[in-house]
Amino acid sequence: MNTPLKFNHEKPPDFQHEGSDFRAHYVDVAAQALVSIWRHRRRIASLVALALAVASIFIPLMPRKYSAEALIYPNLFFSHEQGKAVPLGTVDAASMVTSEARLIRSDAIVRAVVKRLGLDPMAANSRSWATQGLDWIRVKLLPETRNHSPFDRTVAMLRNKVTVTNDTRSYLISISFTATSADQAARVVNAFAIEYLRDKDLQRRRDAAAAAHGELGRQLAIYGEKHPNVLQAGAALNAARAALSAAMNPDDADQNGLVSNESVKLAIPNRTPTSPKGFVILGVSFILALLAGIGLAVWHDRMISRQNVDHRQHPRLL
């Protein structure tokens, strides 16, 4: 007869089971990996040396990039009314600096910068047929990115590559640009700074002309046309209009005079390239080659071990 199993409901059953020792398994795997690395150390070293040699060959061939930065401290805390500086104590300075940074990134400033820098008329003719084909496909799929002229392409390039940032604590505006030439990078950021200062100078001259016109009307309402005050106000209006006309002509704008009107630090060409970074490339090449060599060594030994096991389990029949 089969004896029925009896369970003690007061005491839970105690099942004994043998647990797996994962730690010993991983220790064995690590030991085998170290053995494989030591066994194939020459191959790993050769692979690392080859990677460093290839990286050393390609680093000099990579194009150099140079960065430049111009700093502007906008004079936004004083309003010039009739030649007097009136403090603006009730405005939010951080918001005003942010607005000035957006003005620098505006299309009007970017287009003025392109005109100041000049445009190569051969830019459109120097493109290859492959580039023109890609442009045709891009226009069909992404019509909003179409540029009708080399001028528009240059404007789009500057708009995408120039970086304008503002610090809310120091109220500084930074204009940075990266190019293949240190002189070109400095010229671009300085052109942005000059065009911004020129725009602010034009606005002040317009305000001065409007104020002179209003003063002339006030003097005419009080005195006659031959009164000395009226004549003086008329002369001031003519001087303000002449200054505005001279400032509206970019050829007559004096760069040094514009810079002295605002707190600005123009960029100086920095001959040290910002990219490529040789140490970073060599370091990444060393790490990747080392990991690849270790992986290949471990994989090779595992394949050899598996083949030996298969030969022992399935010996050949003689």
Side-chain angles (χ1 to χ4, degrees):
M1 296 179 61
N2 295 330
T3 303
L5 297 176
K6 295 181 179 181
F7 295 96
N8 188 355
H9 297 281
E10 296 180 357
K11 182 180 180 181
D14 186 13
F15 297 101
Q16 298 293 333
H17 62 90
E18 184 178 358
S20 301
D21 191 0
F22 293 102
R23 182 177 181 180
H25 171 72
Y26 288 114
V27 169
D28 183 62
V29 171
Q32 293 178 2
L34 291 176
V35 171
S36 300
I37 293 172
W38 179 254
R39 184 181 303 166
H40 300 279
R41 61 186 182 278
R42 296 181 182 274
R43 296 181 180 178
I44 296 175
S46 300
L47 183 61
V48 171
L50 178 62
L52 292 178
V54 173
S56 301
I57 294 174
F58 277 97
I59 287 176
L61 301 179
M62 298 177 66
R64 299 297 191 262
K65 297 292 184 180
Y66 301 87
S67 297
E69 182 183 30
L71 298 177
I72 297 176
Y73 186 82
N75 189 9
L76 302 175
F77 307 103
F78 295 93
S79 174
H80 297 272
E81 296 180 358
Q82 297 181 359
K84 298 180 181 180
V86 181
L88 301 176
T90 60
V91 298
D92 185 1
S95 299
M96 294 184 67
V97 173
T98 303
S99 301
E100 295 301 311
R102 293 183 59 185
L103 173 63
I104 296 175
R105 291 190 296 265
S106 64
D107 287 344
I109 297 295
V110 177
R111 289 179 174 272
V113 168
V114 174
K115 292 179 181 179
R116 173 178 289 273
L117 295 176
L119 182 65
D120 186 5
M122 300 301 294
N125 299 328
S126 61
R127 297 186 302 162
S128 62
W129 62 270
T131 304
Q132 296 178 1
L134 291 176
D135 289 343
W136 182 84
I137 297 175
R138 180 176 56 83
V139 168
K140 295 300 181 182
L141 298 179
L142 303 172
E144 68 277 5
T145 62
R146 180 181 182 183
N147 296 319
H148 297 275
S149 64
F151 182 85
D152 293 332
R153 284 191 290 272
T154 306
V155 169
M157 183 272 295
L158 284 181
R159 187 187 301 113
N160 294 331
K161 291 187 176 182
V162 72
T163 302
V164 181
T165 58
N166 58 288
D167 191 352
T168 57
R169 294 184 178 181
S170 61
Y171 308 117
L172 274 175
I173 298 178
S174 171
I175 307 173
S176 58
F177 184 76
T178 301
T180 57
S181 171
D183 294 330
Q184 181 183 4
R187 285 179 60 239
V188 170
V189 295
N190 291 340
F192 270 93
I194 295 301
E195 286 300 328
Y196 166 76
L197 297 178
R198 179 173 175 271
D199 181 79
K200 303 303 293 184
D201 183 66
L202 284 175
Q203 185 61 40
R204 282 194 298 269
R205 293 175 187 268
R206 292 191 185 99
D207 295 340
H213 186 270
E215 178 65 17
L216 177 61
R218 190 179 69 85
Q219 294 294 339
L220 284 174
I222 298 175
Y223 308 103
E225 295 182 358
K226 302 297 182 179
H227 196 275
N229 291 343
V230 176
L231 297 178
Q232 183 178 2
L237 177 60
N238 293 332
R241 288 177 176 175
L244 178 60
S245 299
M248 293 181 65
N249 186 1
D251 297 334
D252 297 335
D254 186 7
Q255 176 173 334
N256 297 326
L258 288 175
V259 172
S260 63
N261 291 336
E262 297 282 349
S263 298
V264 60
K265 184 177 180 60
L266 295 180
I268 300 176
N270 186 5
R271 307 299 176 183
T272 302
T274 57
S275 65
K277 299 184 180 297
F279 286 106
V280 175
I281 296 175
L282 291 176
V284 172
S285 301
F286 174 81
I287 294 175
L288 292 180
L290 182 62
L291 294 177
I294 293 174
L296 290 175
V298 173
W299 175 80
H300 179 269
D301 286 354
R302 287 189 177 182
M303 293 296 297
I304 295 299
S305 299
R306 186 174 301 175
Q307 290 177 3
N308 293 334
V309 171
D310 292 341
H311 284 309
R312 285 195 299 268
Q313 291 179 355
H314 304 285
R316 294 181 179 179
L317 296 178
L318 299 176

